C-alpha cells in the first residue's frame, strides 16, 4: 500500500494514505485549504518495523507491523492494533508470532513482536478480559485471512464489548495494575 | 488527574470521555471522511470538508412541540404518511441550511449565504394570495398593477403588515393603506393551505420543514398553519423504475401523443393511488384506447339510431350525447350510468 508524509499546520509530520490526506486538507490540517504538500512518497514496507510511542499503552515502545487486511479506502491506512479486543488485530499478531518466515519477509525482528502480549483492558460478559482471544479460539480461526470467521468473531465481540463491556483497567492507568 | 476516573465504567459511557481526553492532551485529532467512496457527477472523488455553516435548530424542544401539535391535527390521508412524519420529527435536529451557490433567499444577517431550497420553499404560497394584485396580469410581473405598487416598495415591513395579524402599518412604504388592507384581507381569507401534494421522499426534509417553518413564522396564528398534506409514490413505467439510461422513460407529452389524453386517464386510473408507487403499464394504455374507440363507435351508432329506440333508453342516450360532445364527465361516472340504465 502507498502512503505519503506531509506536514500539518502545527509543523508535525503525518503519515497516511494520500486519499485521507486530501480529506484532511479540507478540514484545516494543512496550511493551504485543499492542498497537500507531499514531502515524501512511501510504501508500507518503508515504515514497517519503525519504533513508535503510543498514548494509553503500558509499552514504552511499540512497532509498526504488517497487517494484510488493511483497506486502502478506509481511514488513514494506519491502524492501532488492539489485539485484546479486535479479532482482526489478534489474528495479525498471532500470524507474526507463529510464522518466522512471515516476519522475515517484512523485515520484522523477533523483539518487535514476540514480547508483546494482548493487554487486557475491557471485561466483557461471557468473553472475559481478552474478548478477541476468546472469540479467536472459540471459532478456531487459522489466520488473518480467515475472512468469514473473523467477520463472525467481530460481530460477536464488538457490539457486546461496547454495550456490556466494562473497563477494568484503563490502559494508561495500567502501570500500577 | 484522570487516573482511575475511567476504571470500572461501561465502555459506552466512557468512549466519548476518552476521546475528549486524547483530544485535549493533543494525542489525537478529529478526522472525517465519506463512509465509502463517493464520486460526483463530474467524476471527482469527494472528500469531507469543514465549512462554516448556518443551522436551523429543528428539534429544539418548544419548536418541536409546536410542530408535533400541528402534525396531530393535520390530515395526511394515509397512516403511513403520518407515521413517517412522526418518526422524522423524532430524529430531525440541526439542519445545515446555508449555501454559497444556487437559487435561494440571502440570509439577511449574512448576505454571502443563500438558504438552500428545501428550507427556503415553505411559505411561498402566501404570495399566491396577493400575486394577482401585484403581477399586473403577467407571468414576470413586468407590467404595472392596478394598485400602482412597484416592486421596490415591497419591503419586509410591508410583507409583515400583509402576512401578520398585528404588524404595524408601514407608513414609510408609500403605499395606500386601503391597498395594503386589501392584500391583507386576501391573505387572511385564503391562507392557510388546505392541501399540499408532494412526493413521499420529501416527508423527511422539505415537508417537515414546511410544518416547522409555519409554526415559527406564525407561532400565535394557528389558523395560518397548513391543513393537509397528501403524499404520492413514484410512478413506475411498465413495472420498472423510470430510467433514461435504461431506455425506460416516457414524458407526459409523449404519453398523450401515444395514447390520447383519455387513454392516458384510463390507464392512470388503473395505475394506483396513495403513497405506493403507481404503475403505468403501456399495454393497459393501449387496451384502453381500443376500448375507448370501440365505445365511441358504438355510441355514435346508438345516437344515430336514437329515434328507433324505446323511451326507457332516453336518458341513457342523453348521457351519451353529453359525452360525445367532448366533455369528459369522468369516465367512471359514465360507466356507472351505463351499468344502471342498460337493459
Amino acid at each position: 500500500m502507498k502512503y505519503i508524509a506531509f506536514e500539518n499546520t502545527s509543523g508535525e509530520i503525518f503519515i497516511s494514505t494520500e486519499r485521507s490526506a486530501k480529506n484532511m486538507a479540507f478540514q484545516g490540517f494543512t496550511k493551504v485549504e485543499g492542498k497537500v504538500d507531499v514531502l515524501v512518497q512511501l510504501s508500507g514496507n518503508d515504515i514497517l518495523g519503525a519504533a513508535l510511542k503510543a498514548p494509553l499503552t503500558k509499552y514504552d515502545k511499540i512497532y509498526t507491523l504488517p497487517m494484510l487486511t488493511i483497506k486502502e479506502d478506509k481511514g488513514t491506512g494506519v491502524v492501532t492494533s488492539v489485539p485484546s479486543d479486535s479479532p482482526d488485530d489478534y489474528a495479525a499478531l498471532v500470524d507474526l508470532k507463529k510464522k518466522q518466515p512471515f516476519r522475515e519477509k517484512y523485515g520484522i525482528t523477533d523483539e518487535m513482536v514476540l514480547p508483546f502480549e494482548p493487554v487486557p483492558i475491557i471485561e466483557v460478559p461471557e468473553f472475559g478480559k481478552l474478548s478477541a482471544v476468546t472469540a479467536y479460539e472459540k471459532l478456531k480461526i487459522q489466520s488473518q485471512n480467515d475472512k468469514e470467521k473473523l467477520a463472525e468473531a467481530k460481530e460477536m465481540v464488538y457490539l457486546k464489548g461496547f454495550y456490556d463491556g466494562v473497563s477494568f483497567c484503563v490502559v494508561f492507568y495500567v502501570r500500577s495494575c | 488527574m484522570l487516573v482511575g476516573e475511567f476504571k470500572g465504567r461501561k465502555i459506552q459511557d466512557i468512549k466519548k470521555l476518552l476521546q475528549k481526553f486524547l483530544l485535549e492532551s493533543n494525542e489525537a485529532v478529529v478526522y472525517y471522511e465519506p463512509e465509502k467512496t463517493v464520486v460526483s457527477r463530474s467524476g471527482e472523488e469527494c472528500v469531507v470538508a469543514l465549512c462554516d455553516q448556518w443551522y436551523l435548530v429543528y428539534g429544539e424542544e418548544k419548536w418541536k412541540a409546536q410542530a408535533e401539535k400541528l402534525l396531530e391535527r393535520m390530515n395526511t390521508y394515509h397512516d403511513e404518511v403520518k407515521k413517517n412524519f412522526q418518526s422524522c420529527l423524532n430524529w430531525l435536529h440541526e439542519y445545515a441550511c446555508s449555501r454559497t451557490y444556487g437559487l435561494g433567499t440571502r440570509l439577511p444577517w449574512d448576505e454571502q449565504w443563500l438558504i438552500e431550497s428545501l428550507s427556503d420553499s415553505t411559505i411561498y404560497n402566501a404570495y399566491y394570495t396577493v400575486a394577482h394584485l401585484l403581477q399586473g396580469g403577467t407571468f414576470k410581473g413586468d407590467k404595472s398593477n392596478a394598485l400602482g405598487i412597484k416592486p421596490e416598495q415591497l419591503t419586509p415591513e410591508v410583507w409583515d403588515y400583509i402576512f401578520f395579524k398585528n404588524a404595524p402599518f408601514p407608513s414609510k412604504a408609500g403605499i395606500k393603506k386601503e391597498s395594503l388592507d386589501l392584500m391583507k384581507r386576501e391573505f387572511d381569507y385564503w391562507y392557510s393551505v388546505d392541501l399540499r401534494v408532494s412526493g413521499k421522499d420529501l416527508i423527511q426534509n422539505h415537508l417537515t420543514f414546511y410544518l416547522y417553518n409555519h409554526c415559527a413564522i406564525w407561532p400565535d396564528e394557528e389558523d395560518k398553519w397548513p391543513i393537509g398534506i397528501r403524499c404520492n409514490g413514484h410512478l413506475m413505467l411498465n413495472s420498472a423504475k423510470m430510467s433514461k439510461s435504461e431506455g425506460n422513460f416516457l414524458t407526459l407529452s409523449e404519453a398523450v401523443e401515444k395514447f390520447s389524453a383519455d387513454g392516458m386517464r384510463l390507464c392512470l386510473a388503473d395505475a394506483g393511488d396513495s403513497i405506493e408507487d403507481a404503475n403505468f403499464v403501456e399495454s393497459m394504455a393501449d387496451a384502453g384506447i381500443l376500448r375507448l374507440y370501440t365505445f365511441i363507435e358504438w355510441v355514435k351508432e346508438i345516437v344515430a339510431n336514437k329515434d328507433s329506440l324505446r323511451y326507457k333508453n332516453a336518458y341513457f342516450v342523453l348521457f351519451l350525447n353529453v359525452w360525445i360532445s367532448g366533455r369528459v364527465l369522468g369516465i367512471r361516472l359514465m360507466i356507472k350510468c351505463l351499468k344502471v340504465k342498460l337493459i
Side-chain angles (χ1 to χ4, degrees):
Chain A
M1 246 175 78
K2 297 211 181 82
Y3 298 86
I4 59 160
F6 68 97
E7 192 175 338
N8 75 354
T9 44
S10 33
E12 296 165 304
I13 312 288
F14 275 22
I15 294 180
S16 71
T17 51
E18 187 150 16
R19 184 199 59 85
S20 63
K22 276 211 194 106
N23 272 275
M24 288 192 243
F26 283 96
Q27 293 168 32
F29 283 64
T30 55
K31 255 192 267 169
V32 179
E33 199 200 18
K35 194 161 174 280
V36 179
D37 276 321
V38 179
L39 295 170
V40 118
Q41 303 264 2
L42 299 161
S43 77
N45 273 324
D46 295 330
I47 36 182
L48 286 178
L52 305 169
K53 183 171 176 297
L56 301 187
T57 177
K58 74 176 188 186
Y59 294 111
D60 279 329
K61 250 197 235 177
I62 58 175
Y63 296 89
T64 344
L65 301 173
M67 185 170 172
L68 303 176
T69 50
I70 293 189
K71 294 202 186 103
E72 194 137 23
D73 57 354
K74 207 169 171 88
T76 57
V78 180
V79 176
T80 305
S81 172
V82 189
S84 56
D85 292 87
S86 160
D88 290 302
D89 297 347
Y90 182 63
L93 184 62
V94 165
D95 283 349
L96 281 165
K97 284 191 168 190
K98 276 198 311 205
K99 305 168 187 166
Q100 213 229 11
F102 184 42
R103 289 201 295 276
E104 274 179 21
K105 180 176 177 197
Y106 293 105
I108 305 295
T109 65
D110 291 355
E111 65 183 11
M112 294 177 185
V113 178
L114 298 180
F116 293 94
E117 291 298 329
V119 180
I121 46 172
I122 301 175
E123 179 157 18
V124 183
E126 288 164 37
F127 285 89
K129 295 183 179 174
L130 288 172
S131 46
V133 181
T134 313
Y136 184 94
E137 282 163 7
K138 196 168 180 188
L139 293 173
K140 298 196 177 30
I141 297 175
Q142 300 297 315
S143 82
Q144 62 187 283
N145 292 316
D146 228 335
K147 270 196 207 157
E148 273 170 39
K149 284 201 180 157
L150 278 171
E152 206 190 319
K154 221 157 107 167
E155 224 164 293
M156 278 164 72
V157 164
Y158 272 24
L159 274 181
K160 236 181 179 292
F162 182 74
Y163 287 108
D164 302 330
V166 176
S167 91
F168 66 91
C169 204
V170 178
V171 228
F172 66 88
Y173 180 49
V174 167
R175 283 179 197 283
S176 43
C177 255
Chain B
M1 32 138 193
L2 292 162
V3 162
E5 187 176 313
F6 298 140
K7 182 176 178 173
R9 293 184 60 182
K10 282 198 150 179
I11 299 305
Q12 58 177 320
D13 296 332
I14 60 172
K15 185 171 172 179
K16 288 240 152 169
L17 297 173
L18 267 172
Q19 187 186 55
K20 189 165 172 250
F21 170 71
L22 283 171
L23 287 170
E24 282 172 0
S25 55
N26 221 15
E27 301 271 29
V29 276
V30 178
Y31 160 69
Y32 297 98
E33 65 177 25
E35 217 176 0
K36 47 186 179 191
T37 314
V38 179
V39 180
S40 74
R41 286 189 189 193
S42 50
E44 305 244 25
E45 199 175 317
C46 297
V47 296
V48 174
L50 269 183
C51 298
D52 284 333
Q53 251 306 343
W54 282 99
Y55 290 85
L56 279 163
V57 196
Y58 294 126
E60 187 274 324
E61 219 182 303
K62 289 201 209 95
W63 199 9
K64 183 174 162 185
Q66 280 186 307
E68 286 174 332
K69 181 179 177 194
L70 168 55
L71 179 64
E72 242 348 84
R73 64 170 220 187
M74 276 183 68
N75 185 359
T76 55
Y77 299 91
H78 300 103
D79 266 338
E80 193 183 327
V81 172
K82 195 155 236 169
K83 286 207 178 83
N84 220 330
F85 269 116
Q86 281 163 345
S87 97
C88 185
L89 282 178
N90 264 328
W91 61 254
L92 187 66
H93 52 278
E94 289 84 33
Y95 180 77
C97 64
S98 54
R99 301 283 180 274
T100 50
Y101 54 86
L103 288 176
T105 314
R106 296 206 168 266
L107 276 183
W109 59 87
D110 197 354
E111 298 224 342
Q112 61 165 317
W113 298 104
L114 297 161
I115 302 178
E116 62 86 29
S117 27
L118 291 173
S119 311
D120 201 17
S121 56
T122 48
I123 61 168
Y124 65 92
N125 304 123
Y127 178 69
Y128 293 172
T129 60
V130 295
H132 61 295
L133 296 168
L134 297 170
Q135 305 262 136
T138 65
F139 180 66
K140 285 196 210 165
D142 48 358
K143 290 223 177 86
S144 60
N145 51 60
L147 299 175
I149 299 177
K150 297 202 191 67
E152 313 78 81
Q153 294 176 286
L154 296 169
T155 61
E157 291 75 34
V158 170
W159 289 121
D160 283 352
Y161 183 72
I162 297 171
F163 293 142
F164 293 141
K165 246 188 186 57
N166 299 314
F169 175 72
S171 42
K172 293 203 203 121
I175 307 177
K176 284 192 276 192
K177 188 165 192 293
E178 333 163 320
S179 305
L180 286 182
D181 282 343
L182 172 63
M183 293 202 279
K184 199 177 162 78
R185 278 200 307 276
E186 288 285 319
F187 169 73
D188 206 41
Y189 180 81
W190 291 107
Y191 212 78
S192 52
V193 182
D194 292 277
L195 177 66
R196 185 165 186 79
V197 179
S198 190
K200 62 182 179 185
D201 52 315
L202 290 171
I203 296 176
Q204 308 213 330
N205 39 72
H206 167 68
L207 292 173
T208 300
F209 304 164
Y210 179 68
L211 300 183
Y212 264 114
N213 293 358
H214 273 87
C215 298
I217 306 272
W218 289 284
D220 304 311
E221 294 186 54
E222 294 186 16
D223 58 319
K224 296 291 173 278
W225 291 3
I227 297 177
I229 294 181
R230 192 180 174 97
C231 291
N232 51 269
H234 302 122
L235 188 69
M236 285 190 286
L237 181 60
N238 300 320
S239 311
K241 190 176 165 198
M242 275 216 217
S243 160
K244 277 197 189 139
S245 53
E246 286 168 27
N248 192 33
F249 206 75
L250 187 66
T251 63
L252 266 183
S253 48
E254 280 170 355
V256 170
E257 258 182 64
K258 245 177 149 176
F259 307 114
S260 84
D262 285 333
M264 235 191 114
R265 286 177 180 128
L266 259 181
C267 184
L268 283 172
D270 181 71
D273 199 9
S274 85
I275 202 177
E276 280 157 33
D277 293 340
N279 187 15
F280 188 94
V281 182
E282 284 187 85
S283 57
M284 187 73 179
D286 278 330
I289 320 173
L290 278 174
R291 275 198 215 104
L292 277 173
Y293 180 74
T294 316
F295 184 62
I296 295 176
E297 293 302 298
W298 181 71
V299 162
K300 279 186 193 163
E301 204 188 298
I302 298 283
V303 169
N305 295 316
K306 70 174 184 245
D307 292 329
S308 64
L309 291 174
R310 287 171 290 179
Y311 174 77
K312 67 165 94 172
N313 290 329
Y315 31 116
F316 167 73
V317 173
L318 174 65
F319 278 117
L320 291 177
N321 262 322
V322 173
W323 190 81
I324 291 171
S325 76
R327 303 215 357 253
V328 181
L329 286 178
I331 297 189
R332 284 203 201 111
L333 174 63
M334 277 309 311
I335 296 171
K336 241 206 252 170
C337 292
L338 290 173
K339 278 194 187 140
V340 170
K341 299 299 174 197
L342 222 46
I343 336 163

